Amino acid sequence: MTLIPERRRWLIVAVIFVALVFNYLDRQIVAILKPVLKTEYALDDSGYALLINLFTVSYAVMYPIGGWLVDRFGPRTVMGIGIIGWSLACIGGGLSRTIGMFGLSRAMLGAAEPTNYPAQLKVVAIWFPGRLRATANSLCVAGGSIGAIIAPPLIAWVAISYGWRNVFFIAGAVGLLIALAWFLVYRDPPESVRNDVEASVVRVDDGAKFTWPQLWRTRSLWGILLIRFVSDPVWYFCLFWLPGYLQEDSGLTLQQVGMVGWIPFLAADIGAIATAAWSDRMVRRGSKPLLSRKRMLSVVGLLAPLCALTPYLPNAFTTLLVFSLVAVAALSWLFTISVVIAESFPVANAASVLGIAGGCGAAGAVVFNYFVGQLIGSVGAHQIFLVMALLHPIAIVILWTMVREERVPPARPVAV
């Protein structure tokens, strides 16, 4: 049976959602099993930081390449191969018997994952008009935070019941099934959808796009790179350090983390979808799309400095409460900055810009992870949380001063 385009696009969103659920679950395995892996491979906090940076450095390097590949070869091929790649890398983690092999599997995971978000953004940009774009985008990338929600209980249960290696095997096998579903479901949009999308674009670019040198001369690109560099580390802390912090500093067991560690990610998911829908509502009421995104991001970004309270909180419950609010801010920015990119640059450049920006955000996380690993076991977490409290306010200033709608310069007439 042939699906009508309006139904197919939401089915595509559903497959992307499921793919990102397990994509995030794969990257969360190491965070949830941090004490187990530290014992298995004789790691301290600086060794653990090095391990997650093997993932993050590969992620940072491949993100811009992934964006270019999506613009060059299309989302169907690139995302499908990426899902297969990170699924095999996850299986490799379960097979690893040495820290070197385990680190290599995490580096391979980091190299394969960056295809997902540029492909997802490209799909949203070409399948959805502006009135639906932020909502569709948030539903797609909500899969990541849903993965973070189900990761603590699921990973803890499988590890306790069947051994930690089986966590990697099961997650990788599911990923291969998702890759099959993606190739079966995804198709490029028909002409009717393309016309609807083009009619909704306020910026008139007639299919024009920036060349690579022109792209790097735009102020908005540098603004978005700075935003991702300074704001992404907050979300990376939630992913890679918060589960271990709850076990090692707040006194929770692996089983208890499985029971409650998902709470900040559920709050983040609900909050980020709600804030994206709020910005879409402003657009439907007549506000300019880019202005609506800026207003929303500025409001929710003011929640992030609450993390400075963390060292002074009396118990794990209050830590979870504060980080639920911080995670709403961090994930709202990750969700909607992708839409900001789609509304600041021509569609033909969107995946490339997201790829460059994602790599820059991961580079910021690499730097942050290194210092967390050095400081959290020595001078404590006070300085870390203080720095985190400043990052989103800085990003708000950059958003308003540097990011704007970029227009492709007219082509120079050819002399005759």
Side-chain angles (χ1 to χ4, degrees), residues 66-195:
W68 178 83
L69 289 172
V70 170
D71 279 337
R72 177 66 177 83
F73 297 105
R76 184 175 190 268
T77 299
V78 177
M79 187 167 184
I81 293 174
I83 295 171
I84 293 171
W86 57 252
S87 299
L88 294 176
C90 193
I91 293 171
L95 294 172
S96 300
R97 300 294 170 178
T98 66
I99 185 59
M101 291 302 296
F102 189 82
L104 178 62
S105 74
R106 300 309 289 180
M108 292 175 60
L109 183 74
E113 283 193 356
T115 57
N116 295 331
Y117 285 98
Q120 169 267 319
L121 178 62
K122 188 79 169 185
V123 170
V124 169
I126 64 178
W127 269 96
F128 289 88
R131 64 184 180 275
L132 298 172
R133 189 170 292 157
T135 300
N137 182 76
S138 65
L139 289 173
C140 284
V141 296
S145 51
I146 292 294
I149 291 167
I150 69 172
L154 184 58
I155 292 170
W157 175 71
V158 174
I160 292 171
S161 302
Y162 304 103
W164 65 268
R165 293 185 185 276
N166 283 307
V167 179
F168 291 91
F169 296 146
I170 294 170
V174 172
L176 294 176
L177 294 176
I178 295 169
L180 176 61
W182 173 252
F183 282 118
L184 292 174
V185 167
Y186 186 79
R187 299 291 185 273
D188 288 332
E191 185 177 358
S192 60
V193 171
R194 292 197 301 268
N195 291 339

Side-chain angles (χ1 to χ4, degrees), residues 33 82 112 186 191 197 208 214 221 236 243 262-263 290 317 362 374 397:
L33 298 179
Y186 186 79
E191 185 177 358
V197 170
Q214 288 175 333
L221 176 63
Y236 277 91
W262 51 269
I263 292 174
L290 186 56
F317 173 79
Q374 296 298 312
V397 174

